[in-house]
Amino acid sequence: MTHVYASSIIPASVDQVWKVVRDFNALPAWHPSIAESRIEEGRPADQVGCVRAFRLKDGGFIREQLLALSDYDFSCSYAILESPMGVENYVAVMKLSPVTDGNRCFAEWYADFDCAPEREAELTASIGGGVFQGGFDALKSRFGG
């Protein structure tokens, strides 16, 4: 099992950041790698079990299922159902926490998955750096950081 973790401080309140990332279908609005997204079967984007199908700007196609969403904990988890990355049993969590020293948010994004051993370093770098940190960097820019 491979574990990937990224964290960041975002210069906005946890409520402000949660309003942006809570919508499971809103990736194109805040993540620079995502071209388009839709929720299958017209289900609500905050309904546990809904599936988002999205296309990356590089043309890749991914389907993910929302496993949990908590407005109390400011967290969500999802599983990849279909992806060109060569990962299996992929489950990720994004969690936000307030930073009590200032109007800031501590953001964590991590995933566990199985992959071919020879691809582990590449996938860890692309998921942790490109996907997770790339998303955090875009959120920091959005909120003036």
Side-chain angles (χ1 to χ4, degrees):
M1 180 76 50
T2 300
H3 182 75
V4 177
Y5 178 87
S7 64
S8 214
I9 299 288
I10 300 170
S13 72
V14 70
D15 291 319
Q16 290 172 301
V17 178
W18 185 241
K19 283 179 188 172
V20 173
V21 302
R22 181 189 188 278
D23 181 346
F24 196 56
N25 196 40
L27 279 174
W30 64 270
H31 200 291
S33 299
I34 312 303
E36 61 186 10
S37 178
R38 69 177 176 82
I39 299 293
E40 296 180 355
E41 301 175 0
R43 294 173 75 182
D46 62 353
Q47 184 179 62
V48 171
C50 74
V51 174
R52 70 178 167 200
F54 62 94
R55 191 157 308 282
L56 303 171
K57 288 185 178 170
D58 71 6
F61 178 75
I62 299 175
R63 292 177 67 239
E64 297 174 334
Q65 184 172 39
L66 184 62
L67 301 176
L69 180 72
S70 172
D71 291 325
Y72 179 78
D73 292 324
F74 303 105
S75 68
C76 68
S77 65
Y78 60 92
I80 288 182
L81 304 176
E82 180 181 338
S83 160
M85 293 187 294
V87 296
E88 294 180 357
N89 305 313
Y90 182 107
V91 175
V93 174
M94 180 188 282
K95 181 168 177 40
L96 307 176
S97 301
V99 174
T100 59
D101 180 20
N103 191 36
R104 298 177 296 162
C105 171
F106 178 67
E108 298 175 275
W109 201 347
Y110 51 92
D112 293 306
F113 56 88
D114 296 317
C115 65
E118 64 273 11
R119 299 220 41 229
E120 185 171 353
E122 171 199 350
L123 288 168
T124 297
S126 67
I127 293 168
V131 178
F132 297 171
Q133 194 60 52
F136 287 156
D137 290 347
L139 288 168
K140 286 191 279 190
S141 292
R142 179 186 187 116
F143 290 107

